[in-house]
Amino acid sequence: MCRMRARLATVLGPVLASGVWMAASAHAADKPAPSAPVAAPPAAAPEAPPKATPAERAEAQRADPLTRMAFWASQVERDGRDVEAGVGLSQALRALGRYDEAADAAASVLIVAPDNYDALMESARANVARGQGFYAIEPGRKAAALQPRDWRPLSLLGVAYEQAKRDDEALAAHRQAVALAPAEAVPLTNLALHLASTGDLPGAEKLLRQAAVLPTATIQVRQNLALVVGLQGRLDEAEKLARQDLPPESVDNNLAWLRAAVGQAGATRSYDAVKAGG
């Protein structure tokens, strides 16, 4: 951008009468000097939201994801170094399906607290949830090193390795998670689904049956069992399992889709191929 400067040229002619000059000077001196502009007072900075008490934070954790997101976002706005608020915000965003933002929120926490276990786990979960398992591997490994007796980072690592197409490491991580927590349904299910994705449907079924009778089993465990049974061509048995938890119309839709899927490739069709629609 060009900077224009005005140049003032003052031409002084010969002074014919000094009295005239002095009079002119005196007349100018009689004029009042222009008053300086009065600066406006600075605008008051917006007041930061108050820091929530431990009781308020505990109450927020019991709220729905949208409410939690708004609450923790206000706490992060107040203090960007608030680790608990940053982790809570990441969790809430992930629960709302806003996985990219959840990953960013967890990454912001890790800048100020690089060894925070909860932030590492949230970073790994958000990246796995958005299908970017490669970026979940480093935080997952760090979390596993911080809590070597916790099965959760290892099970999460197994899924991350799967997404990164590192099957041998995925299988090893899943087996380690199951060894640490043989009575937990989640690591058994994750190992079963890994086996199913490689075509080992009988091995997957065996593990899913073990998981389905555990107290920690969820509807997802039983529906995965129904899917694996159906992929082996036993559709009547799969239907019976599916109807335990789902309304009739959902079961009918699932069975129609499963019949078409099995019919396309026979009983050797893998879980991974079905997920990919291949």
Side-chain angles (χ1 to χ4, degrees):
M1 181 176 69
C2 246
R3 184 176 294 177
M4 304 290 295
R5 291 194 301 173
R7 302 172 65 186
L8 176 63
T10 303
V11 181
L12 297 179
V15 180
L16 299 179
S18 60
V20 174
W21 172 253
M22 293 299 295
S25 298
H27 180 69
D30 289 341
K31 291 182 180 180
S35 57
V38 179
E47 210 173 299
K51 187 168 184 175
T53 65
E56 289 170 333
R57 291 180 174 225
E59 182 179 356
Q61 287 289 59
R62 298 189 292 270
D64 62 275
L66 190 60
T67 301
R68 294 204 315 269
M69 183 197 71
F71 173 84
W72 290 120
S74 73
Q75 295 301 294
V76 170
E77 181 183 358
R78 182 191 183 282
D79 180 5
R81 299 178 67 86
D82 188 332
V83 171
E84 182 187 17
V87 170
L89 177 60
S90 180
Q91 290 171 339
L93 288 166
R94 182 168 54 84
L96 290 168
R98 296 164 63 169
Y99 303 131
D100 290 344
E101 294 170 82
D104 289 342
S108 297
V109 177
L110 291 173
I111 292 173
V112 298
D115 293 326
N116 183 270
Y117 176 80
D118 292 331
L120 289 166
M121 288 293 287
E122 279 307 308
S123 176
R125 289 181 181 121
N127 279 298
V128 163
R130 65 176 178 168
Q132 298 289 328
F134 176 81
Y135 300 102
I137 292 172
E138 182 181 358
R141 281 175 171 170
K142 287 184 177 179
L146 288 170
Q147 300 280 354
R149 302 302 303 168
D150 190 345
W151 60 267
R152 292 175 299 169
L154 287 167
S155 195
L156 194 56
L157 265 176
V159 180
Y161 284 131
E162 287 174 22
Q163 291 183 353
K165 302 188 184 303
R166 292 158 62 170
D167 288 341
D168 291 344
E169 291 166 285
L171 181 59
H174 283 311
R175 291 197 185 283
Q176 283 181 274
V178 170
L180 285 173
E184 286 286 344
V186 170
L188 277 168
T189 301
N190 285 342
L191 174 57
L193 296 183
H194 176 72
L195 294 179
S197 72
T198 63
D200 184 4
L201 295 176
E205 180 185 347
K206 179 181 177 181
L207 291 174
L208 285 169
R209 288 194 181 278
Q210 293 177 29
V213 298
L214 293 172
T216 53
T218 62
I219 291 176
Q220 286 78 11
V221 175
R222 294 187 289 272
Q223 292 307 306
N224 281 318
L225 174 59
L227 174 59
V228 166
V229 167
L231 286 173
Q232 296 176 81
R234 290 147 44 206
L235 296 177
D236 290 343
E237 187 180 351
E239 179 179 1
K240 187 179 295 185
L241 288 166
R243 292 200 186 280
Q244 292 179 15
D245 298 301
L246 297 180
E249 60 274 13
S250 296
V251 175
D252 293 342
N253 290 336
N254 289 348
L255 286 171
W257 172 82
L258 189 54
R259 287 189 185 98
V262 172
Q264 289 172 14
T268 59
R269 188 175 181 82
S270 75
Y271 175 84
D272 196 49
V274 170
K275 285 196 302 180

